[in-house]
Amino acid sequence: MMDFWISVLEQGLLFSVMVLGVYITYKILDFPDLTVDGSFPLGAAVMAASLVKGFHPGVGMIFAFVAGMLAGGATGFLHVKLKITNLLSGILVMIGLYSINLRIMMGKANIPLFQEKTLFTGRLPALFIIFLFAICSKILLDLFLKTKFGFLIKAAGDNPQLVTSLGIPLGAIKIVALMIANGMVALSGALVAQHQSFSDVGMGSGIIVMGLASIIFGEALLRKVPVIVPTTMAIVGSILYKLSIAFALKLGFPPTDLKLITALIVVAALSVNQTAGMMNLRKWFKKEGASVVTNTKPMQNLS
């Protein structure tokens, strides 16, 4: 039973870095970025190619982050400079990255890494390395969002007219935010490739749905807890998502049903989120209605 919980924690924390990247585009920038489905395997492909070429795993992680930033920059360029819609920009880059990933992987759809030295071949437990990586990523992102540029990214998503009125180029902020987000997604892909000891060109399928499900899941369950920041909700949501998938498999569902299970988890999380919002709205209306009735004075007898 202990192995089950360790496996869930490892998988949840592995993908939590990707979820943090999706959090930047989905919750902060309000940008539906489908580049994620391509930048995740891009990070894995660059990591695999670097290890095969004899580079140190740390150097490979840097290469993966830079590659992810370039992918995000391409999406931003298509949207900002060429005026292509945000959704279509992400789709175009995601499609193009499939061929680029195959080229990076030397035309192979799968590269095994069993004989290569990775971050997990040392004496330290895999869970400790993954936990340290996820926590460091979260802390660095929290610190970045508290900087002046971090507040500008938040303003670009909440009130783009304000950013424009201040004379700050809104397009440049979007491009940089997309670069950082996809860099984190590629980092997660590189870490997953090392943990599972192989890189596959199709490992990014459904990653964006997984990221959105984790964010919605964590927010729906933990948004009423005042001490938990949104990035922590995203990490917890990633673990809960992997826990629900693990329980579904433990109940006897075949692996071919994972996509259906993912869709059902997203629907359930959205339903909980929507129901909670409607209940709060009804409470507000009842409170306002009661205050209006209470404050209404009886009409005086004019006769």
Side-chain angles (χ1 to χ4, degrees), residues 68 105 163 174 192 229 271:
M105 296 170 65
V163 177
K174 287 184 176 181
V192 169
V229 296
S271 299

Side-chain angles (χ1 to χ4, degrees), residues 2-303:
M2 183 60 67
D3 291 339
F4 171 80
W5 291 107
I6 291 177
S7 177
V8 169
L9 280 175
E10 286 180 353
Q11 291 296 315
L13 292 172
L14 273 173
F15 287 93
S16 65
V17 182
M18 175 274 298
V19 175
L20 290 175
V22 175
Y23 169 78
I24 295 175
T25 56
Y26 174 67
K27 295 296 292 183
I28 298 179
L29 198 61
D30 194 20
F31 191 103
D33 185 22
L34 294 183
T35 315
V36 173
D37 276 15
S39 57
F40 185 84
L42 173 65
V46 171
M47 188 75 237
S50 300
L51 293 177
V52 170
K53 295 290 185 180
F55 287 97
H56 188 274
V59 177
M61 296 289 285
I62 296 174
F63 288 164
F65 181 74
V66 173
M69 290 186 70
L70 292 176
T75 301
F77 177 82
L78 292 179
H79 175 63
V80 174
K81 300 299 182 181
L82 301 185
K83 306 301 179 183
I84 300 175
T85 60
N86 47 21
L87 190 63
L88 185 56
S89 298
I91 293 174
L92 290 173
V93 175
M94 176 189 68
I95 294 172
L97 283 176
Y98 185 86
S99 297
I100 293 175
N101 292 339
L102 280 175
R103 282 186 172 271
I104 294 174
M105 296 170 65
M106 296 160 285
K108 300 177 182 178
N110 186 292
I111 295 182
L113 301 174
F114 298 101
Q115 304 299 324
E116 307 298 335
K117 182 181 179 181
T118 67
L119 294 176
F120 302 103
T121 53
R123 295 183 178 180
L124 291 176
L127 180 59
F128 175 78
I129 297 174
I130 298 168
F131 177 79
L132 187 64
F133 194 86
I135 294 301
C136 289
S137 299
K138 172 202 153 25
I139 293 174
L140 289 175
L141 179 58
D142 286 337
L143 292 175
F144 171 74
L145 292 177
K146 290 180 180 179
T147 62
K148 181 179 179 181
F149 196 85
F151 283 115
L152 286 176
I153 293 177
K154 292 180 180 179
D158 293 335
N159 193 350
Q161 291 79 14
L162 174 63
V163 177
T164 305
S165 65
L166 294 174
I168 300 172
L170 180 63
I173 295 175
K174 287 184 176 181
I175 292 175
V176 174
L178 286 169
M179 292 176 70
I180 295 172
N182 282 278
M184 295 188 70
V185 173
L187 268 181
S188 179
L191 200 64
V192 169
Q194 294 178 83
H195 184 260
Q196 63 188 16
S197 297
F198 71 89
S199 172
D200 191 274
V201 73
M203 63 189 296
S205 177
I207 285 295
I208 182 63
V209 178
M210 186 188 303
L212 294 177
S214 300
I215 293 171
I216 297 169
F217 214 3
E219 189 179 54
L221 296 177
L222 300 174
R223 64 178 179 178
K224 291 186 178 180
V225 183
V227 296
I228 297 183
V229 296
T231 52
T232 304
M233 294 181 190
I235 293 178
V236 174
S238 177
I239 297 173
L240 292 175
Y241 171 83
K242 286 297 181 181
L243 179 62
S244 60
I245 293 292
F247 270 124
L249 293 175
K250 211 170 183 60
L251 290 174
F253 287 94
T256 52
D257 289 343
L258 285 182
K259 298 296 182 184
L260 176 61
I261 295 170
T262 299
L264 292 176
I265 291 173
V266 175
V267 171
L270 285 172
S271 299
V272 171
N273 208 9
Q274 191 72 14
T275 303
M278 290 300 295
M279 289 177 64
N280 291 335
L281 191 62
R282 287 172 184 170
K283 288 180 182 178
W284 183 84
F285 273 119
K286 287 181 180 179
K287 183 179 178 181
E288 289 297 313
S291 64
V292 170
V293 173
T294 304
N295 293 333
T296 302
K297 297 180 179 179
M299 294 181 63
Q300 297 179 355
N301 190 357
L302 299 178
S303 58

